[in-house]
Amino acid sequence: GSNKEEDPTYDIGAPTVDALLSKQWDFVVMNDFTQAPARQSYREASSRALVEFYAPLFRQCGATPIFVMTPAYRKPVNDSADLGSVAEFTASLKEGYKSYVSALEKELPLPNQQPRIAPVGLAFLHIHDTNHSMWEKLFCNDDFHPSPHGTYLQCCVLHWTLFRRAPERDLALPLDGNFQKRIWGNARFTQHGNGDPLPL
């Protein structure tokens, strides 16, 4: 991946959230630090920030807020052991993101602005429970960032949340093998840090 410090031509969209949301948008896609929705104290602080700071910006730009419910970590890293098993961590994340939606629903009365959750964490949990070896492949070596497989799954869940349907086959995994401008091709090259794309 790249960022502004590494590459001065990297487009961050706008210098501030205020500036970014001063334009009209259909959707604003966002997520919290993964542990925040799973912890009551952080959850409450995030809910207050959503109501006080973000809701007026959403009303101004007309966007539907989309919360990406990030997955529970593969291992108890970053002081997360107290969040329990993958299933317990995921349940806490789900509860936290539902509280974010509840906080914003009262502030965004227009039907087209009702917040949604992209349940990426639930998709990861389903794979954890049904295909554990594939679930292991959804994470980078740090046990919490998504690998190309995990990023691909996140893209598919996000597509479903935005458009209320699965991505078309040619967009998701084209039969002609031309992956470069498709979901899998983009996921393949999306990763943190520098270097070659992660192995599959």
Side-chain angles (χ1 to χ4, degrees):
S2 181
N3 62 43
K4 191 70 172 172
E5 290 76 34
E6 297 168 358
D7 178 4
T9 65
Y10 182 71
D11 182 8
I12 60 170
T16 65
V17 173
D18 286 347
L20 184 66
L21 298 184
S22 67
K23 303 173 186 174
Q24 291 296 295
W25 296 100
D26 293 324
F27 302 102
V28 172
V29 179
M30 56 200 225
N31 64 273
D32 205 342
F33 161 64
T34 295
Q35 293 186 41
R39 298 186 182 281
Q40 189 65 36
S41 59
Y42 286 107
R43 185 187 302 171
E44 290 170 359
S46 292
S47 293
R48 283 193 303 274
L50 286 167
V51 169
E52 293 173 23
F53 303 112
Y54 287 90
L57 296 173
F58 294 145
R59 286 193 296 269
Q60 173 183 294
C61 73
T64 300
I66 306 292
F67 292 105
V68 177
M69 177 192 159
T70 52
Y73 302 155
R74 182 168 59 184
K75 292 183 180 174
V77 295
N78 298 330
D79 298 317
S80 64
D82 62 309
L83 293 172
S85 67
V86 170
E88 291 166 334
F89 192 167
T90 302
S92 295
L93 288 166
K94 180 181 176 184
E95 183 181 329
Y97 276 105
K98 285 174 75 174
S99 74
Y100 294 173
V101 166
S102 292
L104 273 183
E105 280 176 333
K106 301 166 191 158
E107 303 296 321
L108 301 171
L110 295 177
N112 65 317
Q113 280 198 290
Q114 287 304 291
R116 303 178 198 169
I117 298 172
V120 175
L122 296 179
F124 272 61
L125 180 63
H126 177 74
I127 294 173
H128 172 273
D129 293 346
T130 59
N131 188 342
H132 200 269
S133 62
M134 175 55 74
W135 176 77
E136 292 279 346
K137 294 181 181 181
L138 299 179
F139 296 88
C140 288
N141 296 337
D142 62 12
D143 295 315
F144 64 99
H145 283 106
S147 68
H149 286 89
T151 302
Y152 175 76
L153 176 59
Q154 179 172 309
C155 291
C156 290
V157 172
L158 186 56
H159 188 286
W160 183 276
T161 305
L162 293 171
F163 305 112
R164 310 289 189 165
R165 58 182 169 79
E168 294 177 14
R169 168 69 191 211
D170 190 51
L171 177 64
L173 281 173
L175 296 174
D176 65 4
N178 179 11
F179 298 117
Q180 294 302 29
K181 294 190 177 176
R182 301 295 191 264
I183 291 176
W184 175 248
N186 289 329
R188 182 72 183 89
F189 289 96
T190 302
Q191 64 189 59
H192 71 289
N194 295 317
D196 296 328
L198 292 167
L200 298 178

